[in-house]
Amino acid sequence: MSDDTRTEDADTAAASGVAAADCAPGLTLEEAAQGFAAIGSEARLAVVLALVKAGSAGLTVGDIQARTGMAASTLAHHLRFLAAGGLIFQEKQGRAVISRAAFDRLEHLAGFIMKECCADEWTPDAPAPDTPRHRTATDG
């Protein structure tokens, strides 16, 4: 991705009220949306989970087929979609194609969501927000 594209993505994120710095490291709001869209079906999620379980060695297309029960043409479609979304890598080894999970990208996606965990949760040592649910009857 070019620097110009990253600048445009940051402008888009800022226009939507989300600063680029608020996104997971190296991941813009648009990139996160694309990544989540890529695993947005049960079938593609099953493929990603199989590859994550396989670890860095990855799996051949035949191995993924055996683990997921998908037809070859359906699996090929999902693998192309996942590769385009940057969630998997594919490498030709002889006559076989080895697919591997893009662990860094998957970690960034998880981090994108988890960085917001409990951000709005009130804690006893934090000032109470001035909302009706936190006011007492004597507050007026």
Side-chain angles (χ1 to χ4, degrees), residues 16-134:
S16 68
V18 178
D22 291 339
C23 297
L27 199 61
T28 66
L29 184 63
E30 182 180 350
E31 290 168 331
Q34 290 170 348
F36 286 117
I39 55 173
S41 80
E42 187 177 328
R44 287 191 295 273
L45 184 56
V47 171
V48 169
L49 288 173
L51 292 172
V52 167
K53 289 177 185 177
S56 61
L59 297 170
T60 65
V61 173
D63 290 336
I64 299 169
Q65 241 186 310
R67 291 182 184 206
T68 62
M70 282 184 217
S73 61
T74 302
L75 179 58
H77 163 77
H78 290 305
L79 288 171
R80 277 193 304 275
F81 203 91
L82 290 166
L87 299 179
I88 68 166
F89 300 109
Q90 293 186 300
E91 175 186 1
K92 187 142 175 101
Q93 289 184 353
R95 292 178 20 174
V97 175
I98 306 296
S99 298
R100 293 181 180 87
F103 290 105
D104 287 346
R105 174 83 167 178
L106 292 167
E107 285 180 22
H108 283 140
L109 284 173
F112 184 84
I113 293 295
M114 294 310 296
K115 73 177 177 55
E116 296 298 327
C117 179
C118 310
D120 292 336
E121 187 174 77
W122 181 80
T123 59
D125 51 331
D130 188 26
T131 61
R133 68 181 173 174
H134 291 287

